Coordinates of all heavy atoms in Angstrom, one line a residue:
M1 N -9.0 9.5 2.8 CA -9.6 8.3 3.4 C -10.5 8.7 4.5 O -10.2 9.4 5.5 CB -8.4 7.5 4.0 CG -8.8 6.2 4.5 SD -7.5 5.1 5.1 CE -6.0 5.6 4.2
A2 N -11.7 8.3 4.4 CA -12.7 8.5 5.5 C -12.2 7.8 6.8 O -11.5 6.8 6.7 CB -14.1 8.1 5.1
Y3 N -12.7 8.3 7.9 CA -12.4 7.6 9.2 C -13.6 6.7 9.5 O -14.7 6.9 9.0 CB -12.2 8.6 10.3 CG -10.8 8.9 10.5 CD1 -9.9 9.3 9.5 CD2 -10.2 8.8 11.8 CE1 -8.6 9.5 9.7 CE2 -8.9 9.1 12.0 CZ -8.1 9.5 11.0 OH -6.7 9.7 11.2
K4 N -13.4 5.7 10.3 CA -14.5 4.9 10.8 C -14.3 4.8 12.3 O -13.2 5.0 12.8 CB -14.4 3.5 10.2 CG -13.2 2.7 10.6 CD -13.3 1.3 10.0 CE -12.0 0.5 10.4 NZ -12.0 -0.9 9.8
I5 N -15.4 4.4 13.0 CA -15.3 4.2 14.4 C -15.3 2.7 14.7 O -16.2 2.0 14.3 CB -16.5 4.9 15.1 CG1 -16.4 6.4 14.9 CG2 -16.6 4.6 16.6 CD1 -17.5 7.3 15.5
T6 N -14.2 2.3 15.4 CA -14.0 0.9 15.6 C -14.9 0.4 16.8 O -15.5 1.2 17.5 CB -12.5 0.6 16.0 OG1 -12.2 1.2 17.2 CG2 -11.6 1.1 14.8
E7 N -14.8 -0.9 17.1 CA -15.6 -1.5 18.2 C -15.1 -1.1 19.5 O -15.7 -1.3 20.5 CB -15.5 -3.1 18.1 CG -16.3 -3.6 16.9 CD -16.1 -5.1 16.7 OE1 -15.3 -5.7 17.5 OE2 -16.7 -5.7 15.8
D8 N -14.0 -0.4 19.6 CA -13.5 0.2 20.9 C -14.4 1.3 21.4 O -14.3 1.7 22.6 CB -12.1 0.7 20.7 CG -11.0 -0.4 20.5 OD1 -11.3 -1.5 20.8 OD2 -10.0 -0.1 19.9
C9 N -15.3 1.8 20.5 CA -16.2 2.9 20.9 C -17.0 2.5 22.2 O -17.6 1.5 22.2 CB -17.1 3.2 19.8 SG -18.4 4.4 20.1
I10 N -17.0 3.5 23.1 CA -17.8 3.3 24.4 C -19.1 4.1 24.4 O -19.7 4.2 25.4 CB -16.9 3.6 25.6 CG1 -16.4 5.0 25.5 CG2 -15.8 2.6 25.8 CD1 -15.7 5.6 26.8
S11 N -19.4 4.6 23.2 CA -20.6 5.4 23.0 C -20.8 6.6 23.9 O -21.9 6.9 24.4 CB -21.8 4.5 23.1 OG -21.9 3.6 22.0
C12 N -19.6 7.3 24.2 CA -19.7 8.4 25.1 C -20.3 9.6 24.4 O -20.8 10.6 25.0 CB -18.3 8.8 25.7 SG -17.2 9.4 24.5
G13 N -20.2 9.6 23.0 CA -20.7 10.7 22.2 C -19.9 12.0 22.1 O -20.3 13.0 21.6
A14 N -18.7 11.9 22.7 CA -17.8 13.1 22.6 C -17.5 13.6 21.2 O -17.3 14.8 21.0 CB -16.5 12.8 23.3
C15 N -17.5 12.7 20.3 CA -17.1 13.1 18.9 C -18.2 13.7 18.1 O -17.9 14.5 17.2 CB -16.6 11.8 18.2 SG -17.9 10.5 18.1
E16 N -19.4 13.4 18.4 CA -20.5 13.7 17.5 C -20.6 15.2 17.3 O -20.7 15.7 16.1 CB -21.9 13.2 18.1 CG -23.0 13.4 17.2 CD -24.3 12.9 17.8 OE1 -24.4 12.7 19.0 OE2 -25.3 12.8 17.0
S17 N -20.5 16.0 18.3 CA -20.7 17.5 18.1 C -19.4 18.1 17.6 O -19.4 19.3 17.1 CB -21.1 18.1 19.4 OG -20.0 17.9 20.4
E18 N -18.3 17.4 17.6 CA -17.0 18.0 17.1 C -16.9 17.9 15.6 O -16.1 18.6 15.0 CB -15.9 17.3 17.8 CG -15.8 17.4 19.3 CD -15.4 18.9 19.7 OE1 -14.7 19.5 18.9 OE2 -15.9 19.3 20.8
C19 N -17.6 17.0 15.0 CA -17.4 16.8 13.5 C -17.9 18.0 12.7 O -19.1 18.4 12.8 CB -18.1 15.5 13.1 SG -17.9 15.3 11.3
P20 N -17.0 18.6 11.9 CA -17.4 19.8 11.2 C -18.4 19.5 10.0 O -19.0 20.4 9.4 CB -16.1 20.4 10.6 CG -15.2 19.2 10.6 CD -15.6 18.3 11.7
N21 N -18.5 18.2 9.7 CA -19.3 17.8 8.5 C -20.6 17.1 9.0 O -21.3 16.6 8.1 CB -18.6 16.9 7.6 CG -17.3 17.6 7.0 OD1 -17.3 18.8 7.0 ND2 -16.4 16.8 6.6
A22 N -20.9 17.0 10.3 CA -22.0 16.3 10.8 C -22.1 14.9 10.2 O -23.1 14.4 9.9 CB -23.4 17.0 10.5
A23 N -20.9 14.3 10.2 CA -20.8 12.9 9.7 C -21.0 11.8 10.7 O -21.1 10.6 10.3 CB -19.4 12.7 9.0
I24 N -21.1 12.2 12.0 CA -21.1 11.2 13.0 C -22.5 11.1 13.6 O -23.1 12.1 13.9 CB -20.1 11.5 14.1 CG1 -18.7 11.6 13.5 CG2 -20.2 10.5 15.3 CD1 -17.6 12.0 14.5
S25 N -23.0 9.9 13.8 CA -24.3 9.7 14.4 C -24.3 8.5 15.3 O -23.4 7.6 15.2 CB -25.4 9.6 13.4 OG -25.2 8.5 12.5
E26 N -25.3 8.3 16.1 CA -25.3 7.2 17.1 C -25.9 6.0 16.3 O -27.0 6.0 15.7 CB -26.2 7.5 18.3 CG -26.1 6.5 19.4 CD -26.7 7.1 20.7 OE1 -27.3 8.1 20.7 OE2 -26.5 6.4 21.7
G27 N -25.1 4.9 16.3 CA -25.6 3.7 15.7 C -26.2 2.7 16.7 O -26.5 3.1 17.8
E28 N -26.3 1.5 16.3 CA -26.9 0.5 17.2 C -26.1 0.2 18.5 O -26.6 0.2 19.6 CB -27.2 -0.8 16.5 CG -28.5 -0.8 15.8 CD -28.9 -2.1 15.1 OE1 -28.4 -3.1 15.6 OE2 -29.5 -2.0 14.1
S29 N -24.8 0.0 18.3 CA -23.9 -0.3 19.4 C -22.8 0.6 19.6 O -22.2 0.7 20.7 CB -23.4 -1.8 19.3 OG -22.7 -1.9 18.1
T30 N -22.4 1.4 18.6 CA -21.4 2.4 18.6 C -21.8 3.6 17.8 O -22.8 3.5 17.1 CB -20.1 1.9 18.0 OG1 -20.3 1.7 16.6 CG2 -19.6 0.6 18.7
F31 N -21.1 4.7 18.0 CA -21.3 5.8 17.1 C -20.7 5.4 15.7 O -19.9 4.6 15.6 CB -20.7 7.1 17.6 CG -21.6 7.8 18.6 CD1 -21.8 7.2 19.9 CD2 -22.2 8.9 18.3 CE1 -22.6 7.9 20.8 CE2 -23.1 9.6 19.2 CZ -23.3 9.0 20.4
V32 N -21.3 6.0 14.6 CA -20.8 5.6 13.3 C -20.5 6.9 12.5 O -21.1 8.0 12.7 CB -21.9 4.8 12.5 CG1 -22.0 3.4 13.2 CG2 -23.2 5.5 12.5
I33 N -19.6 6.7 11.5 CA -19.3 7.8 10.6 C -19.8 7.5 9.2 O -19.6 6.4 8.7 CB -17.7 8.0 10.6 CG1 -17.2 8.4 11.9 CG2 -17.3 8.9 9.5 CD1 -15.7 8.5 12.0
D34 N -20.4 8.5 8.6 CA -20.9 8.4 7.2 C -19.7 8.7 6.3 O -19.3 9.9 6.3 CB -22.0 9.4 7.0 CG -22.6 9.4 5.6 OD1 -21.9 8.7 4.7 OD2 -23.6 10.0 5.3
P35 N -19.2 7.7 5.6 CA -18.0 8.0 4.7 C -18.3 9.0 3.6 O -17.4 9.5 3.1 CB -17.7 6.6 4.2 CG -19.0 5.8 4.3 CD -19.7 6.3 5.5
N36 N -19.6 9.2 3.3 CA -19.9 10.2 2.3 C -19.7 11.6 2.8 O -19.7 12.6 2.0 CB -21.3 10.0 1.7 CG -21.4 8.7 1.0 OD1 -20.6 8.3 0.2 ND2 -22.5 7.9 1.3
K37 N -19.6 11.8 4.1 CA -19.5 13.1 4.7 C -18.1 13.3 5.3 O -17.7 14.5 5.5 CB -20.6 13.3 5.7 CG -22.0 13.4 5.2 CD -23.0 13.8 6.3 CE -24.4 14.0 5.7 NZ -25.3 14.1 6.9
C38 N -17.4 12.3 5.7 CA -16.1 12.4 6.4 C -15.1 12.8 5.4 O -14.9 12.2 4.3 CB -15.7 11.1 7.1 SG -14.1 11.2 7.8
T39 N -14.4 13.9 5.7 CA -13.3 14.4 4.8 C -11.9 14.2 5.5 O -11.0 14.8 5.1 CB -13.4 15.8 4.4 OG1 -13.5 16.6 5.6 CG2 -14.7 16.0 3.6
E40 N -11.9 13.4 6.6 CA -10.7 13.3 7.4 C -10.4 14.7 8.0 O -9.2 15.0 8.3 CB -9.5 12.8 6.6 CG -8.5 12.0 7.4 CD -7.5 11.4 6.5 OE1 -7.8 10.8 5.4 OE2 -6.3 11.5 6.8
C41 N -11.4 15.5 8.1 CA -11.3 16.9 8.5 C -10.6 17.9 7.5 O -10.4 19.0 7.8 CB -10.8 17.1 9.9 SG -12.0 16.7 11.2
V42 N -10.2 17.3 6.4 CA -9.7 18.2 5.3 C -10.7 19.3 5.0 O -11.9 19.0 4.9 CB -9.3 17.4 4.1 CG1 -9.1 18.3 2.9 CG2 -8.1 16.5 4.3
G43 N -10.2 20.5 5.0 CA -11.1 21.7 4.7 C -11.5 22.4 6.0 O -11.9 23.6 6.0
S44 N -11.4 21.7 7.2 CA -11.9 22.3 8.4 C -10.9 22.4 9.5 O -10.8 23.4 10.2 CB -13.1 21.5 9.0 OG -14.2 21.5 8.1
N45 N -10.1 21.3 9.7 CA -9.2 21.2 10.8 C -7.9 20.6 10.3 O -7.9 19.8 9.4 CB -9.7 20.3 12.0 CG -11.0 20.8 12.5 OD1 -11.1 22.0 12.9 ND2 -12.0 20.0 12.5
P46 N -6.8 20.9 11.0 CA -5.5 20.3 10.6 C -5.4 18.8 10.8 O -4.6 18.2 10.2 CB -4.5 21.1 11.4 CG -5.2 22.0 12.4 CD -6.7 21.9 12.0
S47 N -6.2 18.3 11.7 CA -6.2 16.9 12.0 C -7.6 16.4 12.4 O -8.4 17.2 12.7 CB -5.2 16.5 13.1 OG -5.5 17.2 14.3
P48 N -7.9 15.1 12.2 CA -9.2 14.6 12.5 C -9.7 14.9 13.9 O -9.1 14.4 14.9 CB -9.1 13.1 12.3 CG -8.0 13.0 11.3 CD -7.0 14.1 11.7
K49 N -10.8 15.7 14.1 CA -11.3 16.1 15.3 C -11.8 15.0 16.2 O -11.6 14.9 17.4 CB -12.5 17.1 15.1 CG -12.1 18.5 15.1 CD -11.8 19.0 16.5 CE -11.4 20.5 16.5 NZ -10.9 20.9 17.9
C50 N -12.5 14.0 15.5 CA -13.1 12.9 16.3 C -12.0 12.1 17.0 O -12.1 11.7 18.2 CB -14.0 12.1 15.4 SG -13.2 11.4 14.0
A51 N -10.9 11.9 16.3 CA -9.8 11.1 16.9 C -9.1 11.9 18.0 O -8.7 11.3 19.0 CB -8.7 10.8 15.8
E52 N -9.1 13.2 17.9 CA -8.5 14.1 19.0 C -9.3 14.0 20.3 O -8.8 13.9 21.4 CB -8.5 15.5 18.5 CG -7.3 15.9 17.7 CD -7.4 17.4 17.3 OE1 -8.0 18.2 18.0 OE2 -6.9 17.6 16.2
V53 N -10.7 14.0 20.2 CA -11.5 14.1 21.4 C -11.9 12.7 21.9 O -12.3 12.6 23.1 CB -12.8 14.9 21.2 CG1 -12.4 16.3 20.7 CG2 -13.7 14.2 20.1
C54 N -11.7 11.6 21.2 CA -12.1 10.3 21.6 C -11.2 9.8 22.8 O -10.0 9.8 22.6 CB -12.1 9.3 20.5 SG -12.6 7.7 21.0
P55 N -11.8 9.4 23.9 CA -11.0 9.0 25.0 C -10.4 7.6 24.9 O -9.5 7.2 25.6 CB -11.9 9.0 26.2 CG -13.3 8.8 25.6 CD -13.2 9.5 24.3
V56 N -10.8 6.8 23.9 CA -10.4 5.4 23.7 C -9.7 5.2 22.3 O -9.5 4.0 22.0 CB -11.5 4.4 24.0 CG1 -11.9 4.5 25.4 CG2 -12.7 4.6 23.1
G57 N -9.6 6.2 21.5 CA -8.9 6.0 20.2 C -9.7 5.2 19.2 O -9.2 4.6 18.4
A58 N -11.0 5.3 19.3 CA -11.9 4.5 18.4 C -11.9 5.0 17.0 O -12.0 4.1 16.1 CB -13.3 4.4 19.0
P59 N -11.8 6.3 16.7 CA -11.9 6.6 15.3 C -10.5 6.3 14.6 O -9.5 6.7 15.1 CB -12.1 8.2 15.3 CG -12.6 8.4 16.7 CD -12.0 7.4 17.6
Q60 N -10.6 5.6 13.5 CA -9.4 5.2 12.8 C -9.6 5.4 11.3 O -10.7 5.3 10.8 CB -9.1 3.7 13.1 CG -8.8 3.4 14.5 CD -7.4 3.9 15.0 OE1 -6.5 4.0 14.2 NE2 -7.3 4.2 16.3
P61 N -8.5 5.5 10.5 CA -8.7 5.6 9.1 C -9.3 4.3 8.5 O -9.0 3.2 9.0 CB -7.2 5.7 8.6 CG -6.4 6.2 9.7 CD -7.1 5.7 10.9
D62 N -10.2 4.5 7.6 CA -10.9 3.3 7.0 C -10.3 2.9 5.7 O -10.5 3.6 4.7 CB -12.4 3.7 6.8 CG -13.2 2.5 6.3 OD1 -12.6 1.5 6.1 OD2 -14.4 2.7 6.2
P63 N -9.5 1.8 5.6 CA -8.9 1.4 4.4 C -9.8 1.1 3.3 O -9.5 1.1 2.1 CB -8.0 0.2 4.8 CG -8.5 -0.2 6.1 CD -9.3 0.9 6.7
D64 N -11.1 0.9 3.6 CA -12.1 0.6 2.5 C -12.6 1.9 1.8 O -13.3 1.9 0.9 CB -13.4 0.0 3.1 CG -13.1 -1.5 3.6 OD1 -12.1 -2.0 3.0 OD2 -13.8 -2.0 4.4
H65 N -12.1 3.1 2.4 CA -12.5 4.4 1.7 C -11.3 5.2 1.5 O -11.1 6.3 2.1 CB -13.5 5.1 2.6 CG -14.9 4.4 2.6 ND1 -15.3 3.6 3.6 CD2 -15.9 4.5 1.7 CE1 -16.5 3.1 3.4 NE2 -16.9 3.7 2.2
K66 N -10.4 4.7 0.7 CA -9.2 5.5 0.4 C -9.5 6.6 -0.6 O -10.1 6.4 -1.6 CB -8.1 4.5 -0.3 CG -7.5 3.6 0.7 CD -6.3 2.9 0.2 CE -5.6 2.1 1.3 NZ -5.0 0.9 0.8
E67 N -9.0 7.8 -0.2 CA -9.2 9.0 -1.1 C -8.0 9.9 -1.0 O -7.3 9.9 0.1 CB -10.5 9.8 -0.6 CG -11.8 9.1 -0.7 CD -12.8 9.6 0.3 OE1 -12.6 9.4 1.5 OE2 -13.8 10.2 -0.2
T68 N -7.7 10.6 -2.0 CA -6.6 11.6 -2.0 C -7.1 12.9 -1.2 O -8.3 13.1 -1.0 CB -6.2 12.0 -3.4 OG1 -7.3 12.7 -4.0 CG2 -5.8 10.8 -4.2
K69 N -6.1 13.7 -0.9 CA -6.5 15.0 -0.2 C -7.3 15.8 -1.2 O -8.3 16.5 -0.7 CB -5.2 15.7 0.1 CG -5.5 16.9 1.0 CD -4.2 17.5 1.6 CE -4.7 18.7 2.4 NZ -3.6 19.5 2.9
E70 N -7.0 15.7 -2.5 CA -7.8 16.5 -3.4 C -9.3 16.0 -3.5 O -10.2 16.8 -3.5 CB -7.2 16.4 -4.8 CG -5.9 17.1 -5.0 CD -4.7 16.5 -4.3 OE1 -4.7 15.3 -4.1 OE2 -3.8 17.3 -3.9
Q71 N -9.5 14.7 -3.4 CA -10.8 14.2 -3.4 C -11.6 14.6 -2.1 O -12.7 14.9 -2.2 CB -10.8 12.6 -3.5 CG -10.4 12.1 -4.9 CD -10.2 10.6 -5.0 OE1 -9.5 10.1 -4.1 NE2 -10.6 10.0 -6.0
L72 N -10.8 14.5 -1.0 CA -11.4 14.9 0.3 C -11.9 16.4 0.2 O -12.9 16.8 0.7 CB -10.5 14.6 1.4 CG -10.2 13.2 1.7 CD1 -9.0 13.0 2.6 CD2 -11.4 12.5 2.3
L73 N -11.0 17.2 -0.4 CA -11.3 18.6 -0.5 C -12.5 18.9 -1.4 O -13.4 19.7 -1.1 CB -10.1 19.4 -1.0 CG -10.1 20.9 -0.8 CD1 -10.3 21.3 0.7 CD2 -8.8 21.5 -1.3
E74 N -12.7 18.1 -2.5 CA -13.8 18.2 -3.3 C -15.1 17.9 -2.6 O -16.2 18.5 -2.7 CB -13.7 17.3 -4.6 CG -12.8 17.9 -5.6 CD -13.2 19.3 -6.0 OE1 -14.4 19.5 -6.3 OE2 -12.4 20.2 -6.0
K75 N -15.0 16.8 -1.7 CA -16.1 16.4 -0.9 C -16.5 17.5 0.1 O -17.7 17.8 0.2 CB -15.8 15.1 -0.1 CG -16.9 14.3 0.5 CD -16.5 13.3 1.5 CE -15.8 12.2 0.9 NZ -15.5 11.1 1.9
W76 N -15.5 18.1 0.7 CA -15.8 19.2 1.6 C -16.5 20.3 0.9 O -17.4 20.9 1.5 CB -14.4 19.7 2.2 CG -14.6 20.7 3.3 CD1 -14.7 20.4 4.6 CD2 -14.7 22.1 3.1 NE1 -14.9 21.6 5.3 CE2 -14.9 22.7 4.4 CE3 -14.7 23.0 2.1 CZ2 -15.1 24.0 4.6 CZ3 -14.9 24.3 2.3 CH2 -15.1 24.9 3.6
K77 N -16.1 20.7 -0.3 CA -16.7 21.8 -1.0 C -18.1 21.5 -1.3 O -19.0 22.4 -1.3 CB -15.9 22.1 -2.3 CG -14.6 22.8 -2.1 CD -13.8 23.0 -3.4 CE -12.5 23.6 -3.1 NZ -11.6 23.6 -4.3
K78 N -18.5 20.3 -1.6 CA -19.9 19.9 -1.9 C -20.7 20.0 -0.6 O -21.9 20.3 -0.7 CB -19.9 18.5 -2.5 CG -19.6 18.5 -3.9 CD -19.7 17.1 -4.5 CE -19.2 17.1 -5.9 NZ -18.6 15.8 -6.3
L79 N -20.1 19.7 0.5 CA -20.8 19.7 1.8 C -20.9 21.2 2.3 O -21.8 21.4 3.2 CB -20.0 18.9 2.9 CG -20.1 17.4 2.7 CD1 -19.0 16.7 3.5 CD2 -21.4 16.8 2.9
H80 N -20.0 22.1 1.9 CA -20.0 23.5 2.4 C -20.1 24.4 1.2 O -19.1 25.2 1.0 CB -18.8 23.7 3.2 CG -18.7 22.8 4.4 ND1 -19.2 23.0 5.6 CD2 -18.1 21.5 4.5 CE1 -19.0 22.0 6.5 NE2 -18.3 21.1 5.8
P81 N -21.1 24.4 0.4 CA -21.1 25.3 -0.8 C -21.0 26.7 -0.4 O -21.6 27.2 0.5 CB -22.5 25.0 -1.4 CG -23.3 24.3 -0.3 CD -22.4 23.7 0.6
G82 N -20.1 27.4 -1.2 CA -19.9 28.8 -1.0 C -18.9 29.2 0.0 O -18.5 30.3 0.2
E83 N -18.4 28.2 0.8 CA -17.5 28.5 1.9 C -16.0 28.3 1.4 O -15.8 27.6 0.4 CB -17.7 27.5 3.1 CG -19.0 27.8 3.8 CD -19.2 26.9 5.0 OE1 -18.2 26.6 5.7 OE2 -20.3 26.5 5.3
T84 N -15.1 28.9 2.1 CA -13.7 28.7 1.8 C -13.0 27.7 2.7 O -13.3 27.9 4.0 CB -13.0 30.1 1.9 OG1 -13.7 31.0 1.1 CG2 -11.5 30.0 1.4
P85 N -12.3 26.8 2.2 CA -11.6 25.8 3.2 C -10.7 26.6 4.2 O -10.1 27.5 3.8 CB -10.8 24.9 2.2 CG -11.4 25.1 0.9 CD -12.0 26.5 0.9
K86 N -10.8 26.1 5.4 CA -10.0 26.8 6.5 C -8.6 26.2 6.5 O -7.6 26.9 7.0 CB -10.7 26.6 7.8 CG -12.0 27.2 7.9 CD -12.8 26.8 9.2 CE -14.3 27.2 9.1 NZ -15.0 26.3 8.2
V87 N -8.4 25.0 6.1 CA -7.0 24.4 6.1 C -6.8 23.7 4.8 O -7.8 23.2 4.1 CB -6.8 23.4 7.2 CG1 -6.6 24.2 8.5 CG2 -7.9 22.4 7.4
Ligands
SF4_1 FE1 -15.9 14.2 11.0 FE2 -13.3 14.9 10.8 FE3 -14.0 12.7 12.2 FE4 -14.3 12.7 9.5 S1 -12.3 12.8 10.7 S2 -15.8 12.0 11.0 S3 -14.8 14.9 9.2 S4 -14.5 14.8 12.8

């Protein structure tokens, strides 16, 4: 399941550089996550990095983008061709 950034976002930008998939960018009023790039950090980290660094808990699982761990890993492999998943 991809993560999304809720309206609680204060646009501090702490998450943007932490995403291993470059899925986070600055939107009009909050930062936003591209669901085509978010793997819930599967392949890179044991838990979602953006959620770890956010001071207000804005990144949350997005129920509109439900995916299995296998699907998330496939997405990661397409984003990181030739690399080996770290987790
Ligand atoms: Fe990026 Fe991980 Fe957050 Fe998804 S959960 S946006 S891959 S930092």
Side-chain angles (χ1 to χ4, degrees):
M1 186 178 333
Y3 265 51
K4 66 175 179 181
I5 293 177
T6 65
E7 290 174 359
D8 291 339
C9 173
I10 54 171
S11 288
C12 69
C15 59
E16 188 180 15
S17 61
E18 295 291 331
C19 178
N21 298 339
I24 302 173
S25 60
E26 194 166 7
E28 272 182 33
S29 56
T30 66
F31 276 73
V32 292
I33 292 175
D34 180 348
N36 295 315
K37 291 185 178 173
C38 175
T39 61
E40 210 175 313
C41 280
V42 167
S44 299
N45 301 306
S47 59
K49 267 282 177 189
C50 54
E52 276 177 30
V53 300
C54 180
V56 296
Q60 296 289 331
D62 183 355
D64 289 339
H65 290 96
K66 285 191 175 146
E67 296 155 293
T68 64
K69 189 169 180 188
E70 288 70 31
Q71 288 172 317
L72 292 168
L73 196 54
E74 280 309 307
K75 194 194 291 187
W76 187 91
K77 285 178 183 170
K78 282 184 188 150
L79 290 166
H80 302 271
E83 292 182 38
T84 305
K86 296 169 194 76
V87 288

